[in-house]
Amino acid sequence: MVIQRDGLITFGGDGPPIVLLHGLMGRATTWWRVARRLEPYGRVHGLDARGHGRGPRGGPWRTERFADDVAAVLRTFGEPAVLIGHSMGGLHAWVTAATHPELVRAVVCEDFAPDQRGRTVDAWRGYFESWPVPFRSLAHVREFFGETGDYFLECVEEREDGYHLIASLPDLYEIAAEWGRRDFWEFVERVECPLLAIEGERTAMPHGQQAELAARVPGGLGRHIVVQGAGHVVHDEAPETYLGAVDAFLSDVLGQRLAS
């Protein structure tokens, strides 16, 4: 694994670029297991979003700004990339595809809905601020988060008094607050490439929207699956099912593209 500029990580592999985009409070290294499995399909990278991990600091915290950050990286590759995003990263993936179509070959969006207007960060704020921060050890982090403990191990850093979330909570609140003020259907309807929407059966997203997301991609290029038993972090909670779906999608999309 090679760490490059502004939070870009190259995991490995050869071939067309594949870029993994993490969710809110995450970072590129949360994709480690997925990245290793995708290396046969291309050169796999991960990107720390603005305000996360080694990514650039400072707002404005607007989705189009995040998409422009992604596009700046994609331009360095010299050919279109596959974008694979979890939650916030899925949003950034399809907005990048809509606003910079020449840079994106295909999109995988994991468990994010385009219209969450009316939701606020208040419930999240109480939950986040109830965490026993600083965590006393990495074992404490794993124990506290249970089935997603391995995921959150990548999201903390050690300081003098223990382990803290790398991202700033006030920044996270501002990022998420935008999702409650606007919808993103206009971007879905401008996507020009194949898109796979992967939904967890126990999703907290508004009912039916992820299926509609796939249906509203122009040209019949959208697909949608529900992963039974999984919650929001499908790739961590049901990795084999998730990877099977992504494997099939990439075999189809990259096979067609490479043959053309």
Side-chain angles (χ1 to χ4, degrees), residues 53-223:
R54 295 183 176 86
R57 266 30 201 182
W61 305 112
R62 188 168 171 82
T63 295
E64 288 88 338
R65 176 75 178 275
F66 287 101
D68 287 344
D69 288 343
V70 176
V73 171
L74 301 188
R75 289 191 188 96
T76 68
F77 296 143
E79 61 177 303
V82 174
L83 295 181
I84 298 178
H86 167 241
S87 190
M88 176 186 77
L91 170 65
H92 295 171
W94 88 61
V95 172
T96 303
T99 54
H100 305 277
E102 75 284 359
L103 300 176
V104 183
R105 182 185 298 243
V107 168
V108 177
C109 173
E110 177 189 348
D111 214 62
F112 197 87
D115 187 354
Q116 300 178 53
R117 285 175 295 174
R119 293 188 172 190
T120 72
V121 299
D122 291 342
W124 298 3
R125 191 189 307 270
Y127 171 60
F128 291 160
E129 292 177 1
S130 73
W131 292 358
V133 177
F135 293 96
R136 297 189 298 276
S137 69
L138 292 176
H140 187 199
V141 175
R142 182 184 283 114
E143 177 184 73
F144 180 79
F145 289 106
E147 64 182 8
T148 55
D150 286 342
Y151 178 90
F152 278 98
L153 285 180
E154 298 288 348
C155 303
V156 297
E157 63 182 357
E158 187 175 16
R159 301 176 191 168
E160 288 186 3
D161 58 346
Y163 290 85
H164 293 255
L165 192 67
I166 295 173
S168 159
L169 284 178
D171 290 347
L172 300 184
Y173 296 148
E174 285 196 43
I175 293 167
E178 183 200 33
W179 308 336
R181 295 193 300 265
R182 59 186 296 212
D183 74 82
F184 297 90
W185 288 116
E186 64 169 298
F187 297 102
V188 174
E189 294 166 351
R190 289 162 56 190
V191 172
E192 300 177 4
C193 63
L195 180 148
L196 171 64
I198 300 178
E199 179 176 358
E201 180 188 20
R202 296 184 286 106
T203 184
M205 294 291 152
H207 178 72
Q209 283 199 25
Q210 295 183 69
E212 185 179 356
L213 186 161
R216 286 172 68 167
V217 174
L221 293 174
R223 312 176 194 181

